[in-house]
Amino acid sequence: MQKNRLFSGASLWLLEHKRRLVQLLAALLYNLNLPGFASASIYQGPLKAICVPGLNCYSCPGALGACPIGSLQAALGAADRKLPFYIVGTLLAFGALLGRTVCGWLCPFGLIQELLDKIPLPKLRKGTWSRTASWGKYAVLAVTVIGIPLGLALFGSQSLPFFCAYLCPAGTLEAGLPLLAGNEGLRTLIGGQFFLKFAVLLALLAICLFVYRPFCRFLCPLGALYSFFNRTALLRYRVDHSRCTHCGSCVQECKMDVTAVSDRECIQCGACARGCEQRAISFTLTDMLKNLPERSRETR
Amino acid sequence: MKRPDDSSRQSANQSASRPARQAARQSTRQAARQNSRRPVVALALLAFALLLIAWGVVQGDALDTLHKAALICFECIGIG
């Protein structure tokens, strides 16, 4: 009896925290080369040819795969001037399949920001200011990820992944700090650029204490890319319009700058579905799984 | 969590004005039409993406990615 109660308690906890568990699992899977942290070296095996869906620096000692944004910049800035079909195809595949579900469920840096948001401090609420600032990530994508690396490769004949070099806080946190802590040779190379990146990281982590997911909302170029696919992605939250009363509680419940379920800002966290009293919002994957037994009965 | 309740839905609908109801109904129809098209769009994009990936692998892009990712990226850690 007690065992049963314990089991149902555990399953309830799992159900309520499933997104957090998936986030933790994804962060662990991306960074499974745990000995790398001890030796301050990176994994160099064949898996590094495959991009992970979330923002995870490929120079992190634990990283098993490649960072999609780093790889895109490297491909755009490459001297051979080939069109980067592989990276574009990979980003397109993740976008078509998942959209910004990646941000809400599979991004380690998103998880860090969410955990910092849990610290009980006064929070700055979303509004017109944050909706306007959310366009910033498209500027970061256009200028630092595509414009500067491509422009320099075409006209300046040099390669500079500008976003990685001057902005990316994930690179400083996941790769810079562990590698520099364990490698004396690298520490001798520290200069102004490192301190600039470190200042960006510290400022961003400080803002995370008062603003929900500031990097994802205002700066992340990967989120900007995936947002183009959010309305058509296979996995996303969907509104049953026959049940919806247009009360707007879904938008109010959400901490992101959404104006509708699954719009460009939606990270598919499910806060809208929990807040909907009409139960009009559901996840497409859950719908598919629910419909499977019915379909199999129909085909029999 | 409350179950969907027809009476609450009806009262919400009654409280809305006629033009608002018509607009909501129209957007519902539009959204339903879009919903039915979306899996096709996503699957078409996915198929195109797989084609690009295959073409990229043939072209040697995957090896380029491997070569970049297998070395410590000095720019990423802030010393490049």
Side-chain angles (χ1 to χ4, degrees), chain B:
Chain B
M1 179 85 64
K2 274 190 222 167
R3 280 242 134 240
D5 182 2
D6 281 344
S7 61
S8 69
R9 231 181 303 158
Q10 273 169 3
S11 64
N13 281 340
Q14 277 162 4
S15 64
S17 65
R18 186 178 282 181
R21 273 204 307 266
Q22 277 175 345
R25 222 173 288 144
Q26 206 171 359
S27 74
T28 303
R29 257 182 253 138
Q30 237 170 15
R33 254 201 313 271
Q34 278 174 358
N35 265 348
S36 65
R37 263 187 242 139
R38 277 170 194 166
V40 181
V41 175
L43 289 172
L45 278 173
L46 200 60
F48 182 57
L50 294 178
L51 212 68
L52 287 180
I53 292 172
W55 183 249
V57 170
V58 171
Q59 207 184 229
D61 290 1
L63 274 179
D64 294 342
T65 304
L66 175 64
H67 291 148
K68 170 71 185 162
L71 298 171
I72 291 178
C73 164
F74 288 127
E75 292 93 348
C76 303
I77 60 177
I79 56 174

Side-chain angles (χ1 to χ4, degrees), chain A residues 29-236:
Chain A
L29 282 175
Y30 290 174
N31 298 296
L32 215 50
N33 180 42
L34 299 178
F37 287 102
S39 60
S41 61
I42 66 168
Y43 167 75
Q44 296 182 310
L47 287 176
K48 272 275 171 84
I50 301 166
C51 289
V52 294
L55 195 75
N56 192 74
C57 186
Y58 43 32
S59 287
C60 171
L64 288 182
C67 166
I69 287 293
S71 303
L72 179 64
Q73 286 176 97
L76 289 173
D80 54 10
R81 293 179 190 175
K82 276 192 298 188
L83 287 172
F85 290 114
Y86 177 70
I87 304 295
V88 172
T90 305
L91 286 166
L92 200 62
F94 287 141
L97 198 64
L98 303 161
R100 287 195 78 182
T101 304
V102 172
C103 308
W105 294 71
L106 302 172
C107 183
F109 201 67
L111 170 66
I112 291 167
Q113 291 174 83
E114 276 189 17
L115 294 178
L116 284 172
D117 184 65
K118 293 273 173 207
I119 297 171
L121 284 168
K123 306 291 175 191
L124 203 59
R125 290 178 66 88
K126 66 177 180 178
T128 318
W129 71 272
S130 57
R131 184 83 188 159
T132 311
S134 71
W135 290 102
K137 57 182 172 293
Y138 298 98
V140 171
L141 172 67
V143 178
T144 69
V145 176
I146 299 172
I148 295 178
L150 193 62
L152 284 176
L154 289 177
F155 305 112
S157 64
Q158 72 181 95
S159 173
L160 176 65
F162 192 90
F163 175 75
C164 295
Y166 294 103
L167 267 180
C168 184
T172 318
L173 184 69
E174 295 168 2
L177 294 179
L179 283 178
L180 292 172
N183 190 322
E184 212 182 315
L186 289 176
R187 272 204 300 275
T188 58
L189 300 172
I190 288 179
Q193 189 189 346
F194 174 77
F195 290 114
L196 173 74
K197 278 199 77 178
F198 192 58
V200 170
L201 172 69
L202 283 184
L204 202 89
L205 293 180
I207 296 170
C208 284
L209 298 172
F210 307 102
V211 180
Y212 181 69
R213 279 181 167 243
F215 181 72
C216 310
R217 287 161 74 187
F218 313 134
L219 293 171
C220 182
L222 192 58
L225 260 173
Y226 289 146
S227 75
F228 296 125
F229 305 96
N230 230 16
R231 281 197 181 271
T232 53
L234 276 180
L235 296 190
R236 69 192 153 84

